[in-house]
Amino acid sequence: MSSESLIKMANQIGQYFASEPDKAVAVRGVYQHIKSFWTPAMCRELMAWQTKHPDAVLHPLVLAALMEFEKAA
């Protein structure tokens, strides 16, 4: 899957959970959605892409969820 597709999907997930007033719950929702529905390879690819493009625009909730993935690794 292309990085552009992963970014688009990740940002859509972030936008979906943005309506949650509790940021920690929203981050957990993004994290859990990616963990449940994405393959590990998709997650690794998005994380690698973000590392190479730190100034790129990913939804803040997605960025926070990616940090949770890094902690879990």
Side-chain angles (χ1 to χ4, degrees):
M1 182 169 284
S2 72
S3 295
E4 292 82 17
S5 295
L6 292 175
I7 294 161
K8 181 180 177 181
M9 288 190 308
N11 283 335
Q12 288 173 333
I13 295 165
Q15 188 62 41
Y16 175 81
F17 284 99
S19 62
E20 169 58 53
D22 185 329
K23 183 181 176 188
V25 172
V27 171
R28 188 70 187 164
V30 173
Y31 173 88
Q32 192 59 51
H33 182 91
I34 291 173
K35 184 177 178 187
S36 296
F37 298 106
W38 286 31
T39 66
M42 291 167 68
C43 186
R44 284 192 304 271
E45 184 176 337
L46 182 63
M47 290 172 63
W49 184 89
Q50 179 60 32
T51 300
K52 291 178 185 176
H53 305 92
D55 297 328
V57 178
L58 276 179
H59 194 283
L61 294 175
V62 174
L63 291 173
L66 289 179
M67 289 192 303
E68 293 300 314
F69 278 104
E70 289 176 4
K71 289 179 191 177

